[in-house]
Amino acid sequence: MDWVDALPNLLLLQFPSTLMWMLLGSAVALSGGLRASLGAWPLRRGLLLGSLGVLGAWLYARGMVATDGLTQLIGVWALVALGPALSGAYIWLMARAEQQPQAPAFLRPLAQAGRMSLTLYLSQSLICALLFTGYGLGWVGQLTLAQTLGAAGLVYGLQLAGARWWLARHPTGPLEALMQRWLSRPLPPSP
């Protein structure tokens, strides 16, 4: 599939869905209520949430290697429908870990990544598109699972190092600063 074939999916499904979830997540994070409520959830509920998210990721992965359109479509819609459950499970896990008397050291770099999540998400999407799609290196289907996981780990590790470097010099990520300026602008007066 080349980029011309993928463009309708990107413009009509992935971009609006991602933007909606990012803006909703920003509003919820600013309210502060989600962290406290998810952190109080029992282990069983957090594991159920995570299981739904993993199911969505698995269906998406199956759909991306399928040759029939229906399985591919089910994979994309599973990601859209169940992806937020996986995000919620990550938030739940971090909220639970944060409530411990001594927060684990591994959370520090993740906290920095969280301060520039929009920048990292979009840069990760661009990097992975350039690595795996036909308009990049075309590695999709060419690498083993271990190589793919290694590439993903390397990309994320470099992003964590980049986030640490950036945040040592700036209060927030570059795209987060732009979004903050955009969201803090006063609304135009009503006619």
Side-chain angles (χ1 to χ4, degrees), residues 22-79:
M22 286 252 176
L23 292 175
L24 181 65
S26 294
V28 169
L30 289 173
S31 75
L34 186 63
R35 180 191 298 174
S37 64
L38 276 181
W41 275 17
L43 179 63
R44 189 175 31 189
R45 192 179 291 175
L47 291 176
L48 175 64
L49 191 64
S51 298
L52 288 172
V54 168
L55 173 64
W58 181 79
L59 288 170
Y60 176 72
R62 295 279 302 162
M64 292 305 98
V65 296
T67 55
D68 65 292
L70 179 61
T71 305
Q72 292 173 346
L73 184 64
I74 289 170
V76 169
W77 282 105
L79 180 67

Side-chain angles (χ1 to χ4, degrees), residues 172-186:
T172 188
L175 294 177
E176 288 74 15
L178 285 173
M179 189 169 88
Q180 194 172 38
R181 279 190 215 123
W182 179 61
L183 290 176
S184 64
R185 296 177 105 181

Side-chain angles (χ1 to χ4, degrees), residues 109-110 120 124 127-128 131-132 139 143-162:
L110 296 177
L120 294 182
Q124 189 175 85
I127 292 166
C128 288
L131 291 176
F132 292 102
W139 285 355
L143 302 180
T144 66
L145 178 60
Q147 290 170 324
T148 302
L149 291 174
L154 180 63
V155 168
Y156 193 61
L158 291 172
Q159 285 187 302
L160 289 177

Side-chain angles (χ1 to χ4, degrees), residues 11 13 18 30-31 43 46 53 58 62 101-102 121 126 128-130 133 151 160 165 167 170 178 182 189:
L11 293 177
L13 180 67
T18 301
L30 289 173
S31 75
L43 179 63
W58 181 79
R62 295 279 302 162
Q102 179 66 27
Y121 173 78
L126 177 64
C128 288
L130 293 173
T133 64
L160 289 177
W165 178 86
L167 292 172
H170 305 280
L178 285 173
W182 179 61

